[in-house]
Amino acid sequence: MDFEFWFSPWVLGVLGLSVGSFLNVVAHRMPRMLERRWGLDGAYQLADAESLKRQGAKPEVAKRLAGEAEAWVHHVEAQPRYNLAQPGSACPACGHSLRWHENLPLLGWLRLKGKCSACGTRISARYPLIEGLTGLLFALVAWQVGPQPQALLWCGFVAVLLAASAIDWDTTLLPDDLTLPLLWAGLIAATLGWTIPLSSALWGAVGGYLSLWSVYWLFKLTTGKEGMGYGDFKLLAALGAWLGANMLLPIVLAASAIGAIVGIGMKLTGALREGRFVPFGPFLAGAGLAVFFAGQARVLGWLGWA
């Protein structure tokens, strides 16, 4: 097999453009899919009148809530299927179904001049930016890892981090559907000898989770407030599984520094959202990617640990 060609920066860069188009779908739909799943889970629980009674609800209240919840379950289950594959891509303003050439990564947006062909509504520049960034990062992976099948593993690593970052920035949610598979994939890849030594991956996962978990509880016990979410713990654990235990401190330091700078900038410009917080996940992911592309030896040299 001609690895030199199929795993070259040019080929993986083109693959990245297509994957980036899919990541836009993931970033848009996954939070809505999770909302529907959580809503149904809650409705199933409320539809159980006996369970409500065991929790102290009066019989008439339990019956009323169960009836309303059951009606809601039927309503949601009757809706058209909504997942990462269905329905097809469409304009959110007018419902125009995108034709194949309008869906081409980068080229479709440029050809449409950033507007819907049916109603003229502006299409966010974020779509081509994510596509272009994914293509660029996939090409850099090929350059970093070399022309070998393991490059696809690291492309997957990059793709999940991009999707998780986009979702966290929009919703302050880091889905388990992304962070946990990334964590397990890192441990499995290390076990099979495809990435880093298993001991480093294992302790990277353990240290990544427990370090932020400890900070979370120290902050909460001291202030009574929550400084971050559990998704951040899982994301850093996944980064540790892929990059190793000795890369955790550089990742956290870089993420904290960049996050502080961005947060201050947003505060000064009035861009801080309600609650005056900035999601930490995108900065963890960005720091993880920076450490990966810089290389372990270089990062440890910068810290004077080499």
Side-chain angles (χ1 to χ4, degrees), residues 7-261:
F7 297 102
S8 68
W10 293 107
V11 172
L12 289 188
V14 172
L15 173 64
L17 292 177
S18 299
V19 172
S21 181
F22 177 67
L23 296 184
N24 280 319
V25 176
V26 173
H28 177 76
R29 296 191 183 188
M30 183 170 283
R32 291 159 177 79
M33 291 163 56
L34 292 173
E35 284 180 350
R36 179 178 290 196
R37 184 196 306 172
W38 296 333
L40 277 175
D41 287 344
Y44 288 139
Q45 180 66 30
L46 289 173
D48 187 346
E50 293 304 316
S51 175
L52 295 177
K53 291 177 186 177
R54 289 193 296 271
Q55 297 175 58
K58 295 180 179 180
E60 61 274 16
V61 173
K63 182 177 180 180
R64 175 175 57 82
L65 289 177
E68 292 175 353
E70 190 171 350
W72 177 251
V73 168
H74 292 324
H75 167 74
V76 174
E77 291 181 340
Q79 299 301 308
R81 182 172 297 180
Y82 187 83
N83 52 40
L84 297 180
Q86 295 177 307
S89 298
C91 172
C94 69
H96 164 68
S97 296
L98 300 185
R99 297 183 285 269
W100 69 269
H101 54 82
E102 295 175 327
N103 244 339
L104 290 174
L106 279 180
L107 298 178
W109 189 87
L110 292 172
R111 183 175 179 276
L112 293 171
K113 298 179 180 178
K115 296 180 181 179
C116 172
S117 61
C119 67
T121 299
R122 187 167 296 279
I123 304 171
S124 173
R126 175 167 132 167
Y127 293 103
L129 284 175
I130 288 181
E131 292 166 354
L133 180 60
T134 308
L136 175 62
L137 291 176
F138 274 33
L140 288 176
V141 165
W143 172 77
Q144 176 85 350
V145 177
Q148 54 182 318
Q150 282 90 331
L152 293 179
L153 284 174
W154 291 103
C155 286
F157 170 77
V158 166
V160 174
L161 289 182
L162 287 176
S165 297
I167 291 173
D168 195 27
W169 187 261
D170 290 341
T171 66
T172 66
L173 168 71
L174 279 170
D176 286 351
D177 295 36
L178 293 177
T179 56
L180 294 184
L182 184 66
L183 167 61
W184 287 111
L187 292 174
I188 292 171
T191 301
L192 295 174
W194 293 342
T195 52
I196 59 177
L198 177 59
S199 60
S200 183
L202 176 61
W203 289 114
V206 173
Y209 189 91
L210 291 182
S211 59
L212 290 190
W213 179 87
S214 302
V215 171
Y216 167 88
W217 279 107
L218 180 62
F219 183 81
K220 186 172 183 178
L221 292 173
T222 303
T223 66
K225 301 177 181 178
E226 296 186 359
M228 65 181 72
Y230 277 64
D232 296 317
F233 314 163
K234 298 166 191 173
L235 178 59
L236 186 57
L239 291 172
W242 280 88
L243 300 171
N246 56 354
M247 292 293 99
L248 291 175
L249 183 58
I251 289 172
V252 172
L253 290 176
S256 300
I258 298 171
I261 293 171

